[in-house]
């Protein structure tokens, strides 16, 4: 896993140089948004179950997916879907704190699309649910932090697509 600091330092180290202006700017931006990130992570962790619940209500509930024949039908599959959304929320929060998406590649997206395809988990509906979490989260943490979180929700969606 990388974060905004290690990624800037690693690329300077590869060239055997001190940080250049662009690297300094990147770090400055990261440090300036530090409080915003920590505050957002606090709000999200205190409201995680509700964020998932609201996102499901907005995107999946009462659709064909929750009826017989749908991939969320049966309690077991419904619970698996909720659990997956909770993973996406928690790992997006980690990535937002780190200011870097590498944790998503390593722990979430690796092999996920293949797993979903082999189990018949619908990717479109999953992307819709993640987009709904993005909206609900932004409503709670505010526009600036919501935009930061949005980067990582979108990263998961494009990794699935
Ligand atoms: C931390 C990283 C991590 C991720 C991301 C993860 C995902 C993940 N989701 C799975 C299943 C599943 N995922 C879903 C999800 C959904 N079905 C829908 O219709 C909805 C659109 C959607 C929810 C948004 C469902 C229903 C299953 C069970 C499918 C089945 O067994 O038939 C499985 C197969 C094994 C299992 O059932 O537990 C994995 C590995 N596991 C992990 O360890």
């Amino acid at each position: 896993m990388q974060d905004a600091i290690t990624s800037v330092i690693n690329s300077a180290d590869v060239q055997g140089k001190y940080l250049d202006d662009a690297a300094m700017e990147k770090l400055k931006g990261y440090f300036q948004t530090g409080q915003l990130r920590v505050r957002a992570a606090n709000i999200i962790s205190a409201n995680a179950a509700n964020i998932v619940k609201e996102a499901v209500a907005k995107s999946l509930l009462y659709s064909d997916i929750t009826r017989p024949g749908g991939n969320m039908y049966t309690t077991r599959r419904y619970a698996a879907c909720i659990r997956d959304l909770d993973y996406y929320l928690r790992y997006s929060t980690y990535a937002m704190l780190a200011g870097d998406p590498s944790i998503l590649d390593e722990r979430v997206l690796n092999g996920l699309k293949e797993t979903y395809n082999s189990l018949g988990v619908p990717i479109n509906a999953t992307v819709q649910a993640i987009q709904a979490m993005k909206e609900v989260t932004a409503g709670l943490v505010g526009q600036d932090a919501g935009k930061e979180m949005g980067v990582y929700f979108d990263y998961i969606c494009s990794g699935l697509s």
Side-chain angles (χ1 to χ4, degrees):
M1 180 202 147
Q2 284 206 329
D3 54 49
I5 303 170
T6 50
S7 96
V8 161
I9 290 177
N10 283 339
S11 72
D13 187 32
V14 167
Q15 304 164 53
K17 291 191 173 142
Y18 282 92
L19 305 191
D20 60 17
D21 287 350
M24 288 293 187
E25 278 308 307
K26 210 178 150 200
L27 279 188
K28 218 166 109 188
Y30 180 62
F31 290 130
Q32 277 169 352
T33 53
Q35 287 223 327
L36 179 97
R37 289 171 203 271
V38 172
R39 190 178 155 271
N42 264 320
I43 297 174
I44 293 166
S45 71
N47 293 283
N50 264 332
I51 294 173
V52 171
K53 202 169 125 192
E54 266 189 57
V56 168
K58 270 179 141 188
S59 57
L60 301 171
L61 218 52
Y62 310 119
S63 70
D64 285 346
I65 286 175
T66 55
R67 295 195 191 105
N71 192 261
M72 269 177 95
Y73 186 68
T74 75
T75 327
R76 181 188 68 79
R77 285 202 295 259
Y78 193 99
C81 177
I82 301 285
R83 179 212 56 200
D84 285 6
L85 289 176
D86 198 49
Y87 285 148
Y88 301 143
L89 180 61
R90 181 160 57 88
Y91 280 99
S92 298
T93 307
Y94 293 159
M96 179 275 298
L97 280 171
D100 189 281
S102 61
I103 194 169
L104 298 176
D105 288 325
E106 289 163 24
R107 315 234 178 119
V108 178
L109 291 169
N110 189 2
L112 182 62
K113 195 171 162 184
E114 293 74 15
T115 305
Y116 270 17
N117 284 335
S118 73
L119 288 171
V121 175
I123 298 217
N124 271 349
T126 303
V127 166
Q128 276 172 30
I130 295 171
Q131 291 299 318
M133 282 208 296
K134 179 167 123 180
E135 280 173 34
V136 174
T137 304
L140 275 175
V141 299
Q143 210 184 358
D144 289 347
K147 214 168 128 194
E148 250 335 295
M149 277 298 286
V151 171
Y152 304 102
F153 285 132
D154 287 344
Y155 193 88
I156 296 176
C157 292
S158 36
L160 269 175
S161 305

